[in-house]
PDB file of all heavy atoms in Angstrom:
ATOM      1  N   PRO A 106     -30.561 -37.856   0.008  1.00 38.00           N
ATOM      2  CA  PRO A 106     -30.070 -36.473   0.154  1.00 38.00           C
ATOM      3  C   PRO A 106     -29.841 -36.102   1.614  1.00 38.00           C
ATOM      4  O   PRO A 106     -30.665 -36.406   2.466  1.00 38.00           O
ATOM      5  CB  PRO A 106     -31.180 -35.633  -0.463  1.00 38.00           C
ATOM      6  CG  PRO A 106     -32.413 -36.436  -0.199  1.00 38.00           C
ATOM      7  CD  PRO A 106     -31.999 -37.888  -0.278  1.00 38.00           C
ATOM      8  N   VAL A 107     -28.711 -35.484   1.863  1.00 45.00           N
ATOM      9  CA  VAL A 107     -28.379 -34.957   3.174  1.00 45.00           C
ATOM     10  C   VAL A 107     -27.857 -33.544   2.966  1.00 45.00           C
ATOM     11  O   VAL A 107     -26.980 -33.328   2.146  1.00 45.00           O
ATOM     12  CB  VAL A 107     -27.292 -35.804   3.877  1.00 45.00           C
ATOM     13  CG1 VAL A 107     -26.904 -35.148   5.191  1.00 45.00           C
ATOM     14  CG2 VAL A 107     -27.786 -37.213   4.117  1.00 45.00           C
ATOM     15  N   SER A 108     -28.411 -32.591   3.622  1.00 49.00           N
ATOM     16  CA  SER A 108     -27.905 -31.226   3.506  1.00 49.00           C
ATOM     17  C   SER A 108     -26.963 -30.949   4.668  1.00 49.00           C
ATOM     18  O   SER A 108     -27.173 -31.441   5.771  1.00 49.00           O
ATOM     19  CB  SER A 108     -29.060 -30.217   3.518  1.00 49.00           C
ATOM     20  OG  SER A 108     -29.775 -30.306   4.716  1.00 49.00           O
ATOM     21  N   SER A 109     -25.912 -30.176   4.391  1.00 53.00           N
ATOM     22  CA  SER A 109     -24.938 -29.912   5.441  1.00 53.00           C
ATOM     23  C   SER A 109     -24.404 -28.493   5.302  1.00 53.00           C
ATOM     24  O   SER A 109     -24.385 -27.915   4.222  1.00 53.00           O
ATOM     25  CB  SER A 109     -23.768 -30.896   5.364  1.00 53.00           C
ATOM     26  OG  SER A 109     -23.047 -30.685   4.177  1.00 53.00           O
ATOM     27  N   ASN A 110     -23.987 -27.949   6.416  1.00 59.00           N
ATOM     28  CA  ASN A 110     -23.303 -26.667   6.440  1.00 59.00           C
ATOM     29  C   ASN A 110     -21.824 -26.898   6.737  1.00 59.00           C
ATOM     30  O   ASN A 110     -21.490 -27.615   7.680  1.00 59.00           O
ATOM     31  CB  ASN A 110     -23.890 -25.748   7.515  1.00 59.00           C
ATOM     32  CG  ASN A 110     -25.294 -25.292   7.158  1.00 59.00           C
ATOM     33  OD1 ASN A 110     -25.619 -25.180   5.984  1.00 59.00           O
ATOM     34  ND2 ASN A 110     -26.112 -25.041   8.164  1.00 59.00           N
ATOM     35  N   ILE A 111     -20.952 -26.314   5.910  1.00 62.00           N
ATOM     36  CA  ILE A 111     -19.510 -26.400   6.154  1.00 62.00           C
ATOM     37  C   ILE A 111     -19.066 -25.011   6.590  1.00 62.00           C
ATOM     38  O   ILE A 111     -19.123 -24.061   5.813  1.00 62.00           O
ATOM     39  CB  ILE A 111     -18.750 -26.850   4.904  1.00 62.00           C
ATOM     40  CG1 ILE A 111     -19.303 -28.202   4.425  1.00 62.00           C
ATOM     41  CG2 ILE A 111     -17.258 -26.970   5.201  1.00 62.00           C
ATOM     42  CD1 ILE A 111     -18.660 -28.692   3.158  1.00 62.00           C
ATOM     43  N   VAL A 112     -18.634 -24.903   7.816  1.00 65.00           N
ATOM     44  CA  VAL A 112     -18.318 -23.606   8.398  1.00 65.00           C
ATOM     45  C   VAL A 112     -16.799 -23.483   8.573  1.00 65.00           C
ATOM     46  O   VAL A 112     -16.172 -24.320   9.217  1.00 65.00           O
ATOM     47  CB  VAL A 112     -19.015 -23.428   9.761  1.00 65.00           C
ATOM     48  CG1 VAL A 112     -18.715 -22.042  10.332  1.00 65.00           C
ATOM     49  CG2 VAL A 112     -20.515 -23.642   9.618  1.00 65.00           C
ATOM     50  N   TYR A 113     -16.233 -22.437   7.973  1.00 65.00           N
ATOM     51  CA  TYR A 113     -14.806 -22.147   8.133  1.00 65.00           C
ATOM     52  C   TYR A 113     -14.655 -20.992   9.110  1.00 65.00           C
ATOM     53  O   TYR A 113     -15.257 -19.931   8.940  1.00 65.00           O
ATOM     54  CB  TYR A 113     -14.177 -21.754   6.792  1.00 65.00           C
ATOM     55  CG  TYR A 113     -14.122 -22.865   5.766  1.00 65.00           C
ATOM     56  CD1 TYR A 113     -15.208 -23.137   4.939  1.00 65.00           C
ATOM     57  CD2 TYR A 113     -12.976 -23.632   5.626  1.00 65.00           C
ATOM     58  CE1 TYR A 113     -15.154 -24.142   3.994  1.00 65.00           C
ATOM     59  CE2 TYR A 113     -12.911 -24.645   4.689  1.00 65.00           C
ATOM     60  CZ  TYR A 113     -13.996 -24.899   3.869  1.00 65.00           C
ATOM     61  OH  TYR A 113     -13.929 -25.900   2.936  1.00 65.00           O
ATOM     62  N   LYS A 114     -13.831 -21.187  10.134  1.00 67.00           N
ATOM     63  CA  LYS A 114     -13.620 -20.137  11.117  1.00 67.00           C
ATOM     64  C   LYS A 114     -12.133 -19.939  11.375  1.00 67.00           C
ATOM     65  O   LYS A 114     -11.341 -20.871  11.287  1.00 67.00           O
ATOM     66  CB  LYS A 114     -14.315 -20.488  12.437  1.00 67.00           C
ATOM     67  CG  LYS A 114     -15.833 -20.436  12.390  1.00 67.00           C
ATOM     68  CD  LYS A 114     -16.436 -20.682  13.751  1.00 67.00           C
ATOM     69  CE  LYS A 114     -17.963 -20.571  13.723  1.00 67.00           C
ATOM     70  NZ  LYS A 114     -18.545 -20.764  15.073  1.00 67.00           N
ATOM     71  N   MET A 115     -11.758 -18.675  11.688  1.00 68.00           N
ATOM     72  CA  MET A 115     -10.406 -18.333  12.087  1.00 68.00           C
ATOM     73  C   MET A 115     -10.518 -17.488  13.344  1.00 68.00           C
ATOM     74  O   MET A 115     -11.169 -16.437  13.335  1.00 68.00           O
ATOM     75  CB  MET A 115      -9.684 -17.557  10.977  1.00 68.00           C
ATOM     76  CG  MET A 115      -8.355 -16.942  11.389  1.00 68.00           C
ATOM     77  SD  MET A 115      -7.138 -18.175  11.886  1.00 68.00           S
ATOM     78  CE  MET A 115      -5.681 -17.154  12.025  1.00 68.00           C
ATOM     79  N   ALA A 116      -9.892 -17.965  14.437  1.00 64.00           N
ATOM     80  CA  ALA A 116      -9.959 -17.268  15.724  1.00 64.00           C
ATOM     81  C   ALA A 116     -11.414 -17.029  16.148  1.00 64.00           C
ATOM     82  O   ALA A 116     -11.756 -15.991  16.702  1.00 64.00           O
ATOM     83  CB  ALA A 116      -9.198 -15.948  15.665  1.00 64.00           C
ATOM     84  N   GLY A 117     -12.269 -18.011  15.838  1.00 65.00           N
ATOM     85  CA  GLY A 117     -13.662 -17.921  16.243  1.00 65.00           C
ATOM     86  C   GLY A 117     -14.544 -17.089  15.340  1.00 65.00           C
ATOM     87  O   GLY A 117     -15.753 -17.028  15.540  1.00 65.00           O
ATOM     88  N   LEU A 118     -13.971 -16.447  14.337  1.00 68.00           N
ATOM     89  CA  LEU A 118     -14.747 -15.600  13.439  1.00 68.00           C
ATOM     90  C   LEU A 118     -15.140 -16.365  12.187  1.00 68.00           C
ATOM     91  O   LEU A 118     -14.328 -17.106  11.617  1.00 68.00           O
ATOM     92  CB  LEU A 118     -13.935 -14.354  13.059  1.00 68.00           C
ATOM     93  CG  LEU A 118     -13.516 -13.441  14.218  1.00 68.00           C
ATOM     94  CD1 LEU A 118     -12.668 -12.288  13.696  1.00 68.00           C
ATOM     95  CD2 LEU A 118     -14.741 -12.914  14.959  1.00 68.00           C
ATOM     96  N   LEU A 119     -16.381 -16.183  11.746  1.00 62.00           N
ATOM     97  CA  LEU A 119     -16.868 -16.857  10.558  1.00 62.00           C
ATOM     98  C   LEU A 119     -16.189 -16.311   9.314  1.00 62.00           C
ATOM     99  O   LEU A 119     -16.157 -15.108   9.077  1.00 62.00           O
ATOM    100  CB  LEU A 119     -18.385 -16.670  10.428  1.00 62.00           C
ATOM    101  CG  LEU A 119     -19.041 -17.267   9.177  1.00 62.00           C
ATOM    102  CD1 LEU A 119     -18.925 -18.784   9.185  1.00 62.00           C
ATOM    103  CD2 LEU A 119     -20.497 -16.833   9.089  1.00 62.00           C
ATOM    104  N   LEU A 120     -15.604 -17.214   8.515  1.00 66.00           N
ATOM    105  CA  LEU A 120     -14.960 -16.809   7.275  1.00 66.00           C
ATOM    106  C   LEU A 120     -15.852 -17.093   6.072  1.00 66.00           C
ATOM    107  O   LEU A 120     -16.010 -16.265   5.192  1.00 66.00           O
ATOM    108  CB  LEU A 120     -13.622 -17.539   7.108  1.00 66.00           C
ATOM    109  CG  LEU A 120     -12.554 -17.259   8.165  1.00 66.00           C
ATOM    110  CD1 LEU A 120     -11.329 -18.113   7.900  1.00 66.00           C
ATOM    111  CD2 LEU A 120     -12.167 -15.789   8.181  1.00 66.00           C
ATOM    112  N   ILE A 121     -16.413 -18.291   6.031  1.00 62.00           N
ATOM    113  CA  ILE A 121     -17.232 -18.679   4.890  1.00 62.00           C
ATOM    114  C   ILE A 121     -18.178 -19.801   5.320  1.00 62.00           C
ATOM    115  O   ILE A 121     -17.854 -20.597   6.199  1.00 62.00           O
ATOM    116  CB  ILE A 121     -16.350 -19.135   3.700  1.00 62.00           C
ATOM    117  CG1 ILE A 121     -17.209 -19.351   2.453  1.00 62.00           C
ATOM    118  CG2 ILE A 121     -15.553 -20.361   4.047  1.00 62.00           C
ATOM    119  CD1 ILE A 121     -16.378 -19.630   1.209  1.00 62.00           C
ATOM    120  N   LEU A 122     -19.344 -19.832   4.707  1.00 58.00           N
ATOM    121  CA  LEU A 122     -20.346 -20.861   5.005  1.00 58.00           C
ATOM    122  C   LEU A 122     -20.790 -21.489   3.694  1.00 58.00           C
ATOM    123  O   LEU A 122     -21.313 -20.813   2.818  1.00 58.00           O
ATOM    124  CB  LEU A 122     -21.548 -20.248   5.732  1.00 58.00           C
ATOM    125  CG  LEU A 122     -22.748 -21.169   5.973  1.00 58.00           C
ATOM    126  CD1 LEU A 122     -22.360 -22.316   6.892  1.00 58.00           C
ATOM    127  CD2 LEU A 122     -23.911 -20.376   6.571  1.00 58.00           C
ATOM    128  N   ASP A 123     -20.521 -22.784   3.524  1.00 58.00           N
ATOM    129  CA  ASP A 123     -20.948 -23.515   2.334  1.00 58.00           C
ATOM    130  C   ASP A 123     -22.182 -24.348   2.653  1.00 58.00           C
ATOM    131  O   ASP A 123     -22.256 -24.985   3.709  1.00 58.00           O
ATOM    132  CB  ASP A 123     -19.838 -24.460   1.840  1.00 58.00           C
ATOM    133  CG  ASP A 123     -18.745 -23.718   1.098  1.00 58.00           C
ATOM    134  OD1 ASP A 123     -18.935 -22.513   0.836  1.00 58.00           O
ATOM    135  OD2 ASP A 123     -17.711 -24.330   0.801  1.00 58.00           O
ATOM    136  N   LEU A 124     -23.132 -24.358   1.738  1.00 53.00           N
ATOM    137  CA  LEU A 124     -24.312 -25.226   1.864  1.00 53.00           C
ATOM    138  C   LEU A 124     -24.186 -26.325   0.824  1.00 53.00           C
ATOM    139  O   LEU A 124     -24.150 -26.063  -0.374  1.00 53.00           O
ATOM    140  CB  LEU A 124     -25.606 -24.438   1.644  1.00 53.00           C
ATOM    141  CG  LEU A 124     -26.899 -25.260   1.731  1.00 53.00           C
ATOM    142  CD1 LEU A 124     -27.041 -25.875   3.125  1.00 53.00           C
ATOM    143  CD2 LEU A 124     -28.110 -24.403   1.400  1.00 53.00           C
ATOM    144  N   VAL A 125     -24.083 -27.564   1.284  1.00 51.00           N
ATOM    145  CA  VAL A 125     -23.851 -28.699   0.390  1.00 51.00           C
ATOM    146  C   VAL A 125     -25.050 -29.634   0.466  1.00 51.00           C
ATOM    147  O   VAL A 125     -25.545 -29.943   1.545  1.00 51.00           O
ATOM    148  CB  VAL A 125     -22.564 -29.450   0.782  1.00 51.00           C
ATOM    149  CG1 VAL A 125     -22.306 -30.599  -0.183  1.00 51.00           C
ATOM    150  CG2 VAL A 125     -21.391 -28.492   0.806  1.00 51.00           C
ATOM    151  N   MET A 126     -25.531 -30.114  -0.692  1.00 46.00           N
ATOM    152  CA  MET A 126     -26.711 -30.984  -0.717  1.00 46.00           C
ATOM    153  C   MET A 126     -26.494 -32.152  -1.678  1.00 46.00           C
ATOM    154  O   MET A 126     -25.831 -32.008  -2.708  1.00 46.00           O
ATOM    155  CB  MET A 126     -27.962 -30.207  -1.144  1.00 46.00           C
ATOM    156  CG  MET A 126     -28.327 -29.052  -0.215  1.00 46.00           C
ATOM    157  SD  MET A 126     -29.839 -28.226  -0.715  1.00 46.00           S
ATOM    158  CE  MET A 126     -31.022 -29.553  -0.485  1.00 46.00           C
ATOM    159  N   GLU A 127     -27.052 -33.304  -1.295  1.00 45.00           N
ATOM    160  CA  GLU A 127     -27.166 -34.464  -2.167  1.00 45.00           C
ATOM    161  C   GLU A 127     -25.831 -34.916  -2.754  1.00 45.00           C
ATOM    162  O   GLU A 127     -25.633 -34.979  -3.945  1.00 45.00           O
ATOM    163  CB  GLU A 127     -28.165 -34.179  -3.304  1.00 45.00           C
ATOM    164  CG  GLU A 127     -29.560 -33.892  -2.802  1.00 45.00           C
ATOM    165  CD  GLU A 127     -30.546 -33.685  -3.936  1.00 45.00           C
ATOM    166  OE1 GLU A 127     -30.118 -33.745  -5.101  1.00 45.00           O
ATOM    167  OE2 GLU A 127     -31.725 -33.469  -3.648  1.00 45.00           O
ATOM    168  N   HIS A 128     -24.891 -35.196  -1.873  1.00 47.00           N
ATOM    169  CA  HIS A 128     -23.601 -35.740  -2.300  1.00 47.00           C
ATOM    170  C   HIS A 128     -23.228 -36.882  -1.371  1.00 47.00           C
ATOM    171  O   HIS A 128     -23.392 -36.795  -0.156  1.00 47.00           O
ATOM    172  CB  HIS A 128     -22.504 -34.672  -2.239  1.00 47.00           C
ATOM    173  CG  HIS A 128     -22.609 -33.657  -3.333  1.00 47.00           C
ATOM    174  ND1 HIS A 128     -22.096 -33.850  -4.585  1.00 47.00           N
ATOM    175  CD2 HIS A 128     -23.171 -32.420  -3.344  1.00 47.00           C
ATOM    176  CE1 HIS A 128     -22.337 -32.777  -5.333  1.00 47.00           C
ATOM    177  NE2 HIS A 128     -22.982 -31.897  -4.591  1.00 47.00           N
ATOM    178  N   LEU A 129     -22.721 -37.961  -1.964  1.00 49.00           N
ATOM    179  CA  LEU A 129     -22.152 -39.032  -1.149  1.00 49.00           C
ATOM    180  C   LEU A 129     -20.723 -38.687  -0.757  1.00 49.00           C
ATOM    181  O   LEU A 129     -20.251 -39.045   0.312  1.00 49.00           O
ATOM    182  CB  LEU A 129     -22.178 -40.352  -1.923  1.00 49.00           C
ATOM    183  CG  LEU A 129     -23.550 -41.006  -2.066  1.00 49.00           C
ATOM    184  CD1 LEU A 129     -23.454 -42.234  -2.970  1.00 49.00           C
ATOM    185  CD2 LEU A 129     -24.089 -41.418  -0.707  1.00 49.00           C
ATOM    186  N   ALA A 130     -20.007 -38.019  -1.624  1.00 52.00           N
ATOM    187  CA  ALA A 130     -18.638 -37.575  -1.346  1.00 52.00           C
ATOM    188  C   ALA A 130     -18.424 -36.262  -2.072  1.00 52.00           C
ATOM    189  O   ALA A 130     -18.862 -36.093  -3.209  1.00 52.00           O
ATOM    190  CB  ALA A 130     -17.615 -38.611  -1.795  1.00 52.00           C
TER     191      ALA A 130
END
Side-chain angles (χ1 to χ4, degrees):
V107 175
S108 61
S109 66
N110 291 330
I111 303 177
V112 182
Y113 293 85
K114 290 185 178 182
M115 170 62 171
L118 300 177
L119 177 65
L120 297 177
I121 188 173
L122 173 64
D123 283 352
L124 179 61
V125 182
M126 299 183 64
E127 299 183 359
H128 286 276
L129 286 174

